[in-house]
């Protein structure tokens, strides 16, 4: 069974006929950066789009006219979760059902998708929150494999400069299969630091850092072993120069909504957040095993003696953008955020050809991105089920609003079923790719809206679900 990175409260872990319109112009205050940024496009006579064109694909999904929910206009939902997503669905007036197939929408866990989806016939009105083989993007080893393949394809068809745009994952090997290749790489860089991660786990479970080959001997592939093979790990070159704030390491959680792979349709929410470690960062060898220094996962940091449960360890993405502008100016920071947006789209392009598209499916991904001291973004992993359990009241409000925006995009109520043009902004979600890059009002200098101001309303529900309320496995 294949499992992707899954940090939710679940029981497991081209040819471009661009039909998109211009984005609405957002006002940008002192707390929300905007303005022009350097284009992603090369400065030649006939510039390609900011995200390289993928080979044409053909969707086998039938275009059948949908019908409204059959329960008197009320959306019937099913889920095993009791966290923010449950609250949002109820706050929208949807009705819960526990029937096997009498639902309009099912917020399913990935285990159900793997075991049951292929054996079900979905009605025209039914929607589900995962694609069948989402793990092509969310399992760490498959993500690396697909991105490596895309790099080779891009270099062959478009040249080295275009393929280098897909080099947003640090050097990686899958163990035990690629142990020999990793050993050769390690010999070329003796004493370098690498991070080991189980391919299908989240929340920082099972990760550790190494600087000696002897530390991974147990994962070496032995052809004589026929059963009980060692757990598959991915080993990646550790990014030793992360951007620090207050001397502490952090990464970024962004929310990405994909409503189709053929054509590829991508929305990115403006309100992500940063997750900070609770200890000063150091690359001292004696601290190499201290995950409170090197891992930013909330599940790990909550165990730190320095953790403050009232404040949490998160910072709104808009605040990060404002801080970085105060240190580096608008142009390089806008370029950074535009590159993060491009990284997201390119990673999706890398799996587009292998994804099983289905009109009944969408996916809300949690993207984890690290920034280094040179303001280069690195993709750490993609979560199939980003955590929707809140740690603080503000965290709850942010996730409640983001989920409400996501359901507005999905539009199960069919309020926008007759719209002739795609909606380029729905709440905090910006449509950034619609079978090609979405046209931008600042066409000469493209700048992402990621991290720009978007209000976070107070959640309407009095009873808040903070710090728990789900089942077992979730990546935060």
């Amino acid at each position: 069974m294949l499992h992707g990175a899954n940090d939710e409260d679940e029981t497991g872990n081209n040819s471009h006929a661009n039909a998109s319109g211009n984005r609405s112009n957002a006002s940008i205050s002192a707390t929300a950066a905007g303005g022009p940024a350097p284009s992603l496009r090369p400065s030649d006579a006939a510039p390609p789009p900011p995200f390289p064109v993928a080979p044409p694909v053909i969707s086998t999904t039938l275009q059948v006219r949908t019908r409204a929910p059959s329960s008197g206009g009320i959306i019937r939902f099913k889920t095993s979760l009791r966290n923010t997503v449950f609250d949002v669905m109820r706050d929208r007036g949807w009705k819960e059902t526990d029937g096997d197939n009498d639902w309009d929408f099912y917020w399913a866990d990935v285990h159900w998708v793997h075991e049951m989806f292929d054996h079900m016939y979905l009605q025209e009105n039914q929607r589900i929150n995962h694609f069948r083989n989402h793990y092509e993007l969310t399992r760490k080893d498959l993500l690396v494999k697909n991105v490596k393949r895309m790099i080779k394809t891009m270099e062959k068809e478009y040249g080295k400069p275009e393929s280098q745009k897909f080099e947003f994952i640090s050097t990686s090997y899958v163990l035990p299969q690629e142990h020999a290749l990793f050993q050769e790489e390690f010999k070329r860089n003796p004493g370098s630091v690498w991070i080991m991660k189980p391919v299908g786990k989240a929340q920082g479970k099972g990760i550790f850092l190494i600087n000696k080959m002897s530390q991974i001997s147990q994962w070496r592939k032995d052809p004589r072993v026929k059963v009980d093979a060692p757990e598959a790990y991915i080993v990646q070159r550790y990014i030793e120069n992360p951007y620090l704030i207050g001397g502490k390491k952090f990464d970024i959680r962004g929310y990405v909504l994909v409503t189709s792979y053929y054509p590829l349709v991508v929305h990115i929410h403006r309100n992500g957040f940063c997750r900070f470690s609770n200890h000063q960062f150091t690359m001292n060898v004696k601290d190499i095993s201290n995950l409170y220094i090197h891992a930013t996962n909330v599940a790990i940091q909550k165990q730190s003696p320095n953790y403050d449960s009232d404040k949490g360890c998160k910072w709104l993405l808009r605040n990060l953008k404002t801080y970085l502008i105060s240190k580096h100016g608008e142009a390089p920071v806008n370029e950074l955020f535009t590159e993060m947006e491009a990284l997201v789209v390119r990673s999706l392009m890398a799996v587009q050809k292998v994804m099983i598209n289905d009109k009944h499916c969408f996916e809300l991904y949690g993207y984890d991105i690290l920034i280094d001291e040179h303001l280069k973004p690195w993709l750490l992993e993609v979560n199939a089920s980003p955590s929707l359990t809140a740690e603080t009241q503000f965290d709850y409000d942010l996730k409640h609003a983001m989920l409400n925006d996501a359901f507005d995009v999905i539009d199960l109520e069919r309020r926008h079923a007759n719209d002739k043009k795609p909606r380029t902004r729905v709440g905090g979600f910006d449509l950034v790719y619609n079978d090609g890059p979405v046209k931008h009002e600042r066409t000469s200098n493209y700048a992402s809206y990621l991290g720009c101001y978007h209000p976070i309303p107070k959640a309407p529900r009095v009873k808040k679900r903070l710090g728990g309320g789900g089942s077992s496995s979730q990546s935060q």
Side-chain angles (χ1 to χ4, degrees):
M1 183 181 297
L2 294 173
H3 299 285
N6 171 32
D7 59 6
E8 185 45 81
D9 319 73
E10 298 177 350
T11 56
N13 197 0
N14 7 354
S15 57
H16 289 268
N18 193 342
S20 54
N22 292 347
R23 295 186 191 174
S24 58
N25 200 7
S27 62
I28 300 172
S29 68
T31 59
S39 175
L40 293 173
R41 302 171 179 169
S43 57
D44 52 17
F51 316 114
V53 177
V57 292
I58 299 174
S59 174
T60 58
T61 303
L62 296 176
Q63 298 300 316
V64 182
R65 186 173 180 180
T66 58
R67 61 183 175 84
S70 56
S71 177
I74 297 176
I75 305 296
R76 300 160 303 172
F77 75 89
K78 181 178 179 179
T79 185
S80 62
L81 305 183
R82 290 296 182 268
N83 63 3
T84 315
V85 69
F86 177 83
D87 291 348
V88 172
M89 291 189 286
R90 291 188 59 189
D91 290 339
R92 292 177 72 90
W94 298 1
K95 181 180 179 180
E96 185 180 18
T97 178
D98 58 3
D100 289 339
N101 203 31
D102 65 341
W103 43 267
D104 301 299
F105 174 66
Y106 186 12
W107 190 281
D109 62 62
V110 292
H111 285 294
W112 183 93
V113 173
H114 300 155
E115 296 172 6
M116 302 298 297
F117 199 177
D118 285 339
H119 306 292
M120 291 194 65
Y121 174 79
L122 296 184
Q123 300 294 326
E124 190 63 31
N125 61 296
Q126 292 181 308
R127 301 295 296 273
I128 190 169
N129 65 314
H130 292 295
F131 289 92
R132 278 177 167 83
N133 60 334
H134 64 86
Y135 45 77
E136 293 286 351
L137 179 69
T138 58
R139 234 181 84 137
K140 299 175 184 69
D141 55 339
L142 298 181
L143 170 63
V144 168
K145 180 195 73 173
N146 287 316
V147 171
K148 285 181 176 179
R149 184 184 61 239
M150 190 66 168
I151 291 173
K152 291 180 180 178
T153 300
M154 294 303 298
E155 183 172 4
K156 180 179 179 180
E157 298 185 8
Y158 298 96
K160 188 71 171 178
E162 289 300 309
S163 70
Q164 288 176 331
K165 295 177 180 179
F166 286 79
E167 295 178 356
F168 45 73
I169 299 178
S170 62
T171 304
S172 306
Y173 299 93
V174 179
L175 301 182
Q177 295 93 322
E178 296 179 325
H179 183 274
L181 293 174
F182 169 59
Q183 192 171 35
E184 290 301 315
E185 178 68 23
F186 192 89
K187 287 179 180 178
R188 288 192 288 268
N189 300 277
S192 55
V193 178
W194 296 74
I195 185 167
M196 296 275 293
K197 306 175 183 178
V199 298
K201 293 182 179 178
Q203 294 185 297
K205 293 176 181 176
I207 72 171
F208 58 95
L209 275 62
I210 64 167
N211 61 354
K212 297 178 183 178
M213 282 299 299
S214 60
Q215 294 166 322
I216 62 163
S217 59
Q218 61 268 43
W219 282 273
R220 184 172 183 174
K221 187 176 183 180
D222 185 347
R224 296 170 297 180
V225 176
K226 302 298 182 183
V227 294
D228 297 327
E231 181 179 9
Y233 265 68
I234 189 166
V235 58
Q236 295 180 310
R237 186 72 180 264
Y238 187 66
I239 299 170
E240 300 182 27
N241 62 334
Y243 194 97
L244 305 178
I245 296 180
K248 296 179 180 179
K249 179 182 176 181
F250 67 93
D251 70 359
I252 293 169
R253 164 61 58 87
Y255 295 108
V256 177
L257 181 66
V258 176
T259 55
S260 168
Y261 272 97
Y262 307 136
L264 183 59
V265 181
V266 184
H267 301 75
I268 301 181
H269 204 276
R270 300 184 178 193
N271 283 335
F273 54 84
C274 306
R275 305 177 300 181
F276 282 82
S277 66
N278 283 286
H279 291 248
Q280 295 288 305
F281 182 79
T282 175
M283 286 303 300
N284 194 310
V285 174
K286 69 180 180 65
D287 292 316
I288 197 173
S289 62
N290 189 340
L291 293 183
Y292 296 144
I293 294 173
H294 297 287
T296 58
N297 309 74
V298 175
I300 290 176
Q301 292 300 325
K302 285 171 64 175
Q303 308 304 316
S304 168
N306 296 343
Y307 181 75
D308 187 332
S309 59
D310 293 328
K311 297 180 179 178
C313 55
K314 297 178 182 177
W315 205 21
L316 191 63
L317 187 57
R318 182 175 76 243
N319 295 341
L320 172 67
K321 193 170 190 178
T322 303
Y323 174 86
L324 292 175
I325 288 175
S326 72
K327 296 291 185 180
H328 305 281
E330 284 192 7
V333 175
N334 284 336
E335 182 177 8
L336 164 64
F337 277 72
T338 300
E339 278 298 318
M340 285 196 286
E341 178 180 300
L343 175 157
V344 167
V345 174
R346 288 169 181 148
S347 68
L348 294 166
M349 291 173 63
V351 301
Q352 183 184 17
K353 291 184 68 176
V354 297
M355 279 293 183
I356 301 172
N357 195 54
D358 191 323
K359 65 182 178 180
H360 299 99
C361 303
F362 70 91
E363 196 102 34
L364 178 65
Y365 295 110
Y367 269 72
D368 293 343
I369 298 172
L370 182 91
I371 302 170
D372 69 20
E373 63 184 3
H374 304 297
L375 297 185
K376 174 180 171 58
W378 296 89
L379 178 59
L380 300 180
E381 66 180 34
V382 184
N383 293 282
S385 300
S387 169
L388 299 174
T389 295
E391 298 302 316
T392 65
Q393 179 61 50
F394 184 76
D395 195 26
Y396 181 89
D397 293 342
L398 184 153
K399 291 176 178 176
H400 190 287
M402 181 275 297
L403 285 165
N404 208 40
D405 292 344
F407 288 133
D408 284 343
V409 174
I410 302 304
D411 192 28
L412 273 80
E413 295 91 347
R414 298 185 55 73
R415 297 186 181 112
H416 299 273
N418 297 320
D419 288 1
K420 295 182 179 179
K421 293 183 178 180
R423 294 173 292 158
T424 55
R425 182 180 177 186
V426 179
F429 277 105
D430 291 296
L431 178 63
V432 301
Y433 201 88
N434 184 24
D435 200 23
V438 173
K439 294 179 181 179
H440 197 292
E441 290 182 349
R442 299 188 289 268
T443 53
S444 60
N445 289 310
Y446 182 93
S448 173
Y449 285 121
L450 180 64
C452 288
Y453 175 75
H454 179 68
I456 302 174
K458 291 286 186 182
R461 186 169 289 272
V462 175
K463 183 179 179 181
K464 305 299 187 293
R465 303 181 187 277
L466 304 177
S471 15
S472 60
S473 163
Q474 103 173 227
S475 132
Q476 313 221 13

